[in-house]
Amino acid sequence: MPVRLTGGPRGFGPLPNQPVTPNQPAPTNPPAPTNPPAPTSTTPAVPPNVPVDPRLNGVILDSRLVRGTTPNASTFDAARNRIRRGGTDDDSLGGGVAFKGKGYDVVNERLVGPETSPARVALRDAIWQRLETPSYLLESRPAKAVDVKRLGQALSEVASARQAASLAKQAQTSGAAAANLADFVANTRGVSKDTRASLLQTLSAQASGVSGAVVAGITGSEAFAAMSHAERAQLATVLSRLDDPGLAVLGSMVERTPEALKSTDSAGHTLLSNLAALASQPLHASLAGHTSTEELLEGVLTDVMNPNRIEQGTAATCTVASMQFELVADEPAEYARLMAGLAGASGVVKMRGGGDLRLGPGDADPRGRSGRSASQALFQSAAMEYANGRFANYDPVLGVTVDARRGQERLGLKPADQQALLEKLFGVKYSIDRLFSEAEGAKALERLQGWDATGARNRPIVVDLDQGKFNHAVTLESVTRERVTFRDPYGVLRSMPASTFPKVAVAVHLPTDVKRNGVG
């Protein structure tokens, strides 16, 4: 399955058995910065040529960074379906990055937010690059002796005389091209003629480069050998629509998590078949000029291989970004099915629990991406549109929802909106545990003791955290007596002291069929 970095595989942090300088004490009343600051720590640099284990610990924010944030008691405005703590409306908008510049006051902002420490960002990017790149593109390969004349003869059985001659010429001048071509010829004996020709076409785009290495590497894998003729044809279709970055991600998936390709969606179709559908279908007319099959396919592949990249950017979509992460991490084939349906000719796809996700005007407009990939922006915009209800329209470029009946604009999603979308996306019933006071937050924490998301596939728990004039939705990773670990939809695994949870949690969205110390 996809590599979802959890306390190990969902996040990143100090290298094992390496010392980390403790965070420095925070000022008693620090000025509110434009972006939430990351914890001050020094993570040892990764020595050159030493493999980085992606199963690293999660990022931990020092407890001193969230002291002095006790909210007042709360009330609940049932008519407007909003939780209030000290006058705070619950629209679950997101962290302070998107809203500080719009005049919103932000409290508890050091609890969440994007990673801003250059050292940690560099470490994260290094881990992600390694995760998304097959080993044969990371390591130098020994020279391989190739009989170019025999190679040319073998290629003539697959390609036209002109193409075979061109490839043989490349093999004469490049050892890498010769090795990739020789491996391909040997690996694809017994593969159907059409599939073999398609694979060779992808390889020949740059026989000595990424396309050559990835096609040779994939066709030489155990996973490829175990595929049926239909699966190999689907794989060839996907490969044919990928640029170098996407080829590298697919090569890594086949090498590291090939079982993900055979995972199935709610209709019984595999991830591979859904990727092939996305690769081969015509895109919806409204996507023209905004994105392409290649970009969307690469985005979906990257989301699936490394769901840790999924984030809200600067958009007010923390709620649906959190759900997208959980869906991709637990149900990659279902996610690919939804994306293929959204991007397809009709622009409509039915969710597992009922209800339709629909492609809206401007959903893929680059002006509305807010730092997200095309696939992330597309999914989150469609999800916001569904959750907002039938009388509201989400504008992805402006990042607001317009209520057609009242002529009002609003940001984010209300608790009932979140519940409706969770039930449809994951196909299970959800309840909302509204926390009106710290005492109720403490009771909720007690019920959540022992929670571990790795043992609850397709059953995420979403928590709304008080952020002043708005709330921020995150998903729970684990709960112990000491700490609550959560996935911040800025793409960061974070934690807080357990004692802080009752002070900042204002709502918990629970799958009703999950039981854990009373949860559900």
Side-chain angles (χ1 to χ4, degrees), residues 430-453:
Y430 268 79
S431 64
I432 306 171
D433 191 358
R434 297 175 171 93
L435 310 176
F436 301 130
S437 66
E438 286 187 39
E440 293 189 7
K443 291 179 181 178
L445 178 65
E446 186 63 29
R447 292 194 296 270
L448 292 168
Q449 286 299 322
W451 171 257
D452 187 341

Side-chain angles (χ1 to χ4, degrees), residues 10 34 41 128 135 140 199-200 240 245 248 289 306 320 324 331 373 399 418 428 447 449 451 502 516:
R10 277 204 214 181
T34 302
S41 65
W128 286 358
S135 61
S140 57
L199 290 168
L200 181 60
S240 70
N306 184 10
V320 294
Q324 183 182 21
E331 300 283 351
S373 69
Q418 297 176 63
V428 297
R447 292 194 296 270
Q449 286 299 322
W451 171 257
R516 169 70 71 172

